[in-house]
Amino acid sequence: MDLDSLSDRQLLDLHCSVMEALRLRGVVRSSNSPVADHTETIVARALAAKLATNSQSGYDAVGQDGTRYQIKGRRLTARNESTQLSAIRNLAASPFDHLAAVVCDDRLAVQYAALIPIDVVTRLSRYHAHTNSSTLHFRRSVLNETGVVDITSLVQAATPQ
């Protein structure tokens, strides 16, 4: 498909059609950016966890053993190589047991992924009063922290080809 030959309107229409097709296939769960939904889907598959409802606060999936997972994904591009995950809310209340973090390349191929215990998230993250949230940069070095479990191969295997 020659995307350069399409008008801006045609590209936007194509984007909307693709997002709806992905939603119908269960690849994404909402009409938001596909990065978050895609990450939640592949992590839940990899961990054999059940996705929580979209309105659930504090965690995104529950494992077969009851473990609560907050799932965050980041897509790196040539224009934005930041590994900062989206806001983590209410961290002091321990709303999840593990943060499942995934970094993808610009084509959403999984580069690395980990399960990070909440105590490690609390230690490595930074609180921002103006947004009432914490942020964490999920650099590869986080994989070396005590208690962190590298799940890269599991998540890659759960990613649709």
Side-chain angles (χ1 to χ4, degrees):
M1 177 180 285
D2 180 16
L3 296 179
D4 291 335
S5 69
L6 299 177
S7 70
D8 292 349
R9 178 72 261 155
Q10 289 171 318
L11 285 171
L12 289 169
D13 288 345
L14 178 61
H15 170 76
C16 293
S17 295
V18 166
M19 290 304 299
E20 180 61 13
L22 289 171
R23 190 189 63 73
L24 290 172
R25 291 180 182 197
V27 175
V28 300
R29 299 194 301 160
S30 72
S31 298
N32 299 330
S33 164
V35 176
D37 284 350
H38 176 65
T39 303
E40 289 174 5
T41 299
I42 61 177
V43 167
R45 280 184 197 151
L47 300 177
K50 183 176 181 352
L51 286 169
T53 61
N54 283 338
S55 61
Q56 180 60 51
S57 178
Y59 61 92
D60 299 303
V62 178
Q64 294 176 355
D65 63 353
T67 300
R68 297 166 302 155
Y69 299 101
Q70 173 68 250
I71 303 171
K72 300 282 185 186
R74 184 66 187 202
R75 178 177 171 249
L76 305 183
T77 67
R79 287 181 291 288
N80 188 349
E81 295 180 350
S82 172
T83 58
Q84 181 177 312
L85 301 175
S86 63
I88 302 169
R89 307 261 179 223
N90 205 18
L91 190 54
S94 298
F96 58 88
D97 302 303
H98 288 87
L99 173 65
V102 179
V103 168
C104 296
D105 67 14
D106 61 344
R107 308 228 357 128
L108 292 179
V110 174
Q111 299 301 295
Y112 56 99
L115 291 179
I116 309 169
I118 193 165
D119 62 314
V120 176
V121 173
T122 301
R123 182 169 48 82
L124 297 179
S125 65
R126 191 166 158 199
Y127 179 74
H128 304 279
H130 67 283
T131 60
N132 193 28
S133 66
S134 299
T135 55
L136 174 72
H137 286 268
F138 181 42
R139 298 177 182 97
R140 283 188 187 270
S141 61
V142 173
L143 295 169
N144 299 322
E145 293 288 331
T146 301
V148 172
V149 177
D150 186 331
I151 58 169
T152 304
S153 60
L154 286 174
V155 177
Q156 287 172 333
T159 303
Q161 299 303 314

